[in-house]
Amino acid sequence: MFSANHAGDCAYLADKSAQPVAFGFQSAMAARLGRPGSSSLFIAILFDPFEERAIAVNLPALMLSITVIFIAPSAFAQQTNAASPSEGFPAWAFLWDPSVKVPPPDDKPNQLAGSNASFSWKQARDLFLALDWHPDDHPAMPEIVATGRKPDVRACGACHRVEGTGGPEGASLAGLPVDYLVQQLADFKSGARKMSGPERPPKTMVASAKAMTDAEMHAAAEYFAGLKPRRLIKVVESEIIPRTGPSRMFYVKSPEGGSEALGERIVEMPDNADQFELRDSRATFTAYVPVGSLAKGETLAKTGGAGTTVACAGCHGSDLRGAGEIPSIAGRSPTYIVRQLHEFQTGGRAASASAPMKPTVEKLSANDMIALAAYVASLAP
C-alpha cells in the first residue's frame, strides 16, 4: 500500500531546487504531478486511472497558495511555497501540505513483522495515543508520553515514537540529555524556538509545550533520555534516485517506480512507508545525498573547512555523541539537521543556549549544510 504520512493526506511541494516528483496517499488512488518551473507557471499532469493516460495542462498562476484539482474519483494537489521564504530557503527540508483530502482511516487492525501487536489506521492518526509495537524494547512510558493530556498536550510518543526514534519530519529524542530536552520544551513555550517556512505540525509541538507542567516536562525528558538511540538511517550518495513524491511531511517512493535526478537536496524516505506511518520505532530510512557530500561533510565537521565553520567535536564530543548537556548529533536525520542549521543561521532558534551556534553556522552555504548533515547522519548514534 502506498500511503501518505501522518493523516493519510497526499501532498506536493513546489521546490525550485527539486526535480519533478510524484505523490500518493493511503488509497488505491495515486498520480504523477509535474513541478512548477516558477511561481508564475502551474503545471498539472492529470492522470485518468480508467483511461490509463495522462493529460498535461499549463495554468498561469500568480500566487503562492495551494491549488487543488478534483477529477472524477481521484484528487490531486500542488502547492507553491505558502510562506514566501527567502532565496536559498531549503524548502525540501520543510515539507508540508495538509490540504488534500483522502478517505477516512478505518478500524481494521494492522500487523507488522516482528510484533505481536495490532493497531488500526484510526489509532495511528490519534495523537493522544503512542502505538507501542514492541513493549519489551523499552521501560514503562509515563502517561505524558503514552497518552498525553487532553485537550492540549499530545502524546510525546505519537510523533516522536515510543522509543524516541522520530523521523525526517521530527526530532529523534532517544538518549538526549534531560536538561537539554527540558530546555527545548521551555524554548518552545517561550517562543525562543520557532519554525521557518509554512506552518506545519510543530505548532502542535508549541501548543503542547505551552500546556505542559514542569513535572510533565521532566517526566518526558527523563524517559527519552534513558533510551538507547537506534541506527536506522542509511546514507547513499547518488545523482539519480528512485522517483519520489513528498507526502504530507516527508518523501516516499512513487508507486509508479522510475527515477529522477536528486539535485542539491537530501531526499530521506522510509524504506517501508506503512511501517513508519503506523509509528513503529524500528522503521528504517534511506537518505539520498549528492555525490561528494560525505567527504566534504567529514572535512567540515573535523576541521571547520579552513574557516567556513568550526570542528563539531569541540562541543559535541570526539565521536559527536554529545558531551555533558550538549546533545549528540551522530546518526540523526539529515533532513532534521539541515532544518536546525537553517534555524540557527536565520534566528529560528534564538535562546541563549543557542548563541554558540550562531557564529558556527553563519558562513555555511546550503551545500555545506547538506554535506554536514549527510556526514553526521552516516555515523553510529
Side-chain angles (χ1 to χ4, degrees):
M1 177 184 293
F2 181 71
S3 56
N5 49 73
H6 283 285
D9 289 354
C10 59
Y12 171 86
L13 181 70
D15 178 359
K16 294 181 181 179
S17 67
Q19 297 297 318
V21 293
F23 75 97
F25 44 88
Q26 185 192 327
S27 166
M29 301 182 292
R32 176 72 176 168
L33 295 180
R35 178 178 62 86
S38 70
S39 60
S40 62
L41 179 62
F42 188 97
I43 303 173
I45 298 179
L46 310 181
F47 179 72
D48 184 340
F50 301 105
E51 297 295 329
E52 296 187 350
R53 60 193 178 96
I55 306 171
V57 182
N58 292 346
L59 303 175
L62 295 174
M63 63 183 180
L64 292 175
S65 59
I66 298 170
T67 300
V68 183
I69 305 172
F70 292 97
I71 302 294
S74 300
F76 311 92
Q78 279 189 284
Q79 171 187 332
T80 54
N81 201 314
S84 301
S86 61
E87 190 69 23
F89 176 77
W92 53 266
F94 289 82
L95 296 180
W96 176 238
D97 184 353
S99 63
V100 180
K101 304 301 180 183
V102 296
D106 57 43
D107 291 311
K108 180 182 177 181
N110 294 276
Q111 292 186 312
L112 295 174
S115 173
N116 294 322
S118 61
F119 297 101
S120 69
W121 282 104
K122 183 174 289 186
Q123 289 174 303
R125 297 186 196 178
D126 181 359
L127 295 185
F128 291 98
L129 176 65
L131 304 193
D132 194 355
W133 292 96
H134 311 283
D136 294 335
D137 287 358
H138 60 85
M141 289 181 282
E143 185 175 342
I144 197 66
V145 173
T147 59
R149 176 171 52 79
K150 293 182 179 181
D152 299 315
V153 185
R154 275 64 174 180
C156 305
C159 292
H160 296 285
R161 284 21 182 209
V162 165
E163 294 177 53
T165 50
E169 85 295 5
S172 58
L173 306 180
L176 293 178
V178 171
D179 288 348
Y180 174 80
L181 290 170
V182 171
Q183 184 60 56
Q184 298 315 300
L185 288 168
D187 290 346
F188 278 122
K189 195 169 191 173
S190 70
R193 181 169 177 175
K194 302 175 182 177
M195 173 67 74
S196 298
E199 284 198 7
R200 53 203 296 271
K203 65 183 179 181
T204 301
M205 180 71 240
V206 172
S208 292
K210 286 182 179 294
M212 289 177 78
T213 66
D214 289 346
E216 288 169 337
M217 288 184 181
H218 279 86
E222 289 168 6
Y223 171 77
F224 286 116
L227 300 175
K228 183 178 180 179
R230 288 179 174 270
R231 188 166 196 170
L232 299 171
I233 302 167
K234 178 174 67 175
V235 178
V236 177
E237 291 189 345
S238 184
E239 295 179 353
I240 302 297
I241 64 172
R243 189 166 65 179
T244 64
S247 295
R248 223 174 176 208
M249 294 182 69
F250 55 86
Y251 288 102
V252 292
K253 293 180 181 179
S254 167
E256 301 170 1
S259 62
E260 67 186 46
L262 176 61
E264 288 298 312
R265 56 178 175 156
I266 294 173
V267 169
E268 182 178 0
M269 301 183 288
D271 297 319
N272 182 323
D274 281 354
Q275 181 186 19
F276 181 56
E277 291 187 66
L278 285 168
R279 306 185 185 278
D280 184 0
S281 295
R282 295 184 184 178
T284 59
F285 306 85
T286 298
Y288 296 95
V289 303
V291 174
S293 295
L294 292 173
K296 179 179 179 178
E298 182 176 12
T299 298
L300 287 169
K302 290 184 175 180
T303 71
T308 300
T309 183
V310 298
C312 302
C315 293
H316 293 281
S318 59
D319 56 4
L320 304 189
R321 295 183 187 178
E325 298 310 312
I326 305 299
S328 168
I329 55 176
R332 307 198 79 185
S333 161
T335 308
Y336 175 82
I337 290 289
V338 168
R339 283 202 302 272
Q340 301 320 302
L341 291 173
H342 177 81
E343 301 293 16
F344 283 124
Q345 190 178 72
T346 59
R349 294 184 66 164
S352 58
S354 301
M357 284 298 297
K358 185 68 174 178
T360 301
V361 302
E362 62 184 0
K363 296 180 183 178
L364 293 178
S365 66
N367 185 265
D368 293 333
M369 292 183 185
I370 288 172
L372 275 169
Y375 170 68
V376 166
S378 74
L379 304 176

